[in-house]
Amino acid sequence: MKKFTIITALLIILQYMPSAAQEAAFKHGEKITYTVFYNVIGIYINAGTATFTTSLEQYNNNNVYHVVGEGSTNSKYDWIFKVRDRYESYFNTGDLQSVKFIRNINEGGYKKYEEVSFNQQTNTAITPDGVYKVPAKVQDLINAIYYARNIDYNAHKPGDKIEFSMFLDNKVYDLYIKYLGKETVKTRYGKYNAIKLSPLLIKGTVFKDDDKMTLWVTDDSNHIPVRVQSPISVGTIKIDLKDVQNLKYPMESVVVKD
């Protein structure tokens, strides 16, 4: 992860959420859309969009969720740095464990295609570079977002650190997220009753500090991230929830929707 891109930044941010639960907090047909804002001279600009769609499919004769995350810069900024990225994750409907991860990116003319397969019986991840030993229930980049949406934050108190493992770029990272409590947060598109979290970030990515990011997720059964805010190596980034479609549960956390 040497380049800063819209979808990569969002996925890095959202991946630092703990894993738990069995009952899926989402369903076939769900779609979530985000706007990414970037600030380098004191003014936030609309830099791009990211979308996540969920479908129910068959993979190796098993029922799986197939989540596609797509990100792009706004067309008027393509002359500076054009991004068209697509990430995919296939994971079991029962235990929500990843079975396959795909990264297909086009970032400023740099293109890369990569597939990772997870073997849950041998606890291994198979990539084009080899076979890697991984912990049980290890998460991929997208799968972590959805697996984590089932966490029961009411079982934790402010200051608790929830640990988990992530497989990224042929490495296993032992990470945690700190639960900070609950509060109301106002975004560009609305106001929400939210759960406030602070993740430990992977050193060496685009983020300026490894513990200065804050994210808010809906305080309802969906647990959808509604705002992410963090300093990065150059400037500051905010990512706000813009639109949701076909949620499994009512969006009860909405205070005001713009």
Side-chain angles (χ1 to χ4, degrees):
M1 293 227 173
K2 294 182 170 61
K3 295 181 174 66
F4 166 63
T5 67
I6 300 302
I7 191 69
T8 301
L10 180 60
L11 290 174
I12 293 174
I13 288 166
L14 298 182
Q15 72 184 344
Y16 303 104
M17 298 178 66
S19 46
Q22 300 296 318
E23 177 75 17
F26 45 88
K27 65 178 182 179
H28 170 78
E30 182 190 81
K31 182 177 182 179
I32 309 174
T33 303
Y34 291 93
T35 301
V36 180
F37 298 95
Y38 177 62
N39 181 351
V40 69
I41 57 172
I43 300 175
Y44 279 99
I45 63 171
N46 185 330
T49 61
T51 61
F52 295 85
T53 57
T54 303
S55 59
L56 187 62
E57 300 180 9
Q58 283 274 313
Y59 180 79
N60 287 342
N61 297 319
N62 293 315
N63 291 327
V64 298
Y65 288 110
H66 179 201
V67 176
V68 177
E70 295 180 290
S72 63
T73 47
N74 289 337
S75 58
K76 64 182 177 180
Y77 299 119
D78 281 350
W79 66 276
I80 300 175
F81 193 82
K82 182 178 179 179
V83 174
R84 298 293 185 272
D85 286 352
R86 180 183 174 94
Y87 291 76
E88 301 179 57
S89 179
Y90 297 80
F91 51 93
N92 295 328
T93 58
D95 58 11
L96 307 183
Q97 289 300 291
S98 179
V99 294
K100 187 176 183 179
F101 174 71
I102 299 174
R103 176 165 50 178
N104 188 5
I105 60 174
N106 183 349
E107 303 169 354
Y110 171 78
K111 298 181 180 180
K112 182 177 182 179
Y113 181 86
E114 179 184 16
E115 291 190 15
V116 180
S117 297
F118 293 90
N119 189 318
Q120 298 166 13
Q121 285 68 47
T122 60
N123 288 333
T124 54
I126 301 93
T127 80
D129 299 315
V131 179
Y132 299 85
K133 193 69 176 177
V134 296
K137 298 184 179 181
V138 70
Q139 304 299 303
D140 74 47
L141 199 55
I142 285 187
N143 167 240
I145 305 169
Y146 289 78
Y147 191 73
R149 282 172 56 185
N150 302 305
I151 195 77
D152 180 11
Y153 291 102
N154 292 322
H156 297 276
K157 61 182 184 296
D160 281 356
K161 294 180 179 179
I162 308 166
E163 299 177 346
F164 64 104
S165 297
M166 170 71 59
F167 184 77
L168 180 67
D169 289 337
N170 297 334
K171 294 182 181 179
V172 174
Y173 293 91
D174 295 320
L175 304 168
Y176 67 77
I177 188 166
K178 184 184 294 185
Y179 171 62
L180 300 178
K182 299 183 179 182
E183 66 180 28
T184 301
V185 61
K186 180 173 173 54
T187 76
R188 294 290 184 96
Y189 303 107
K191 184 184 293 185
Y192 302 87
N193 293 322
I195 298 163
K196 188 177 182 180
L197 308 167
S198 178
L200 174 69
L201 304 178
I202 295 177
K203 294 181 179 179
T205 61
V206 299
F207 299 103
K208 184 176 179 181
D209 299 296
D210 62 2
D211 62 352
K212 298 299 183 182
M213 176 179 291
T214 307
L215 63 98
W216 293 261
V217 303
T218 56
D219 188 15
D220 55 30
S221 297
N222 299 294
H223 287 167
I224 297 174
V226 293
R227 162 158 286 189
V228 183
Q229 183 171 322
S230 178
I232 58 176
S233 54
V234 179
T236 306
I237 191 172
K238 285 183 181 179
I239 301 174
D240 281 356
L241 176 70
K242 183 178 182 180
D243 184 58
V244 294
Q245 298 176 32
N246 203 29
L247 295 179
K248 184 173 182 178
Y249 300 104
M251 197 77 155
E252 297 175 345
S253 64
V254 176
V255 178
V256 177
K257 186 66 174 177
D258 293 345

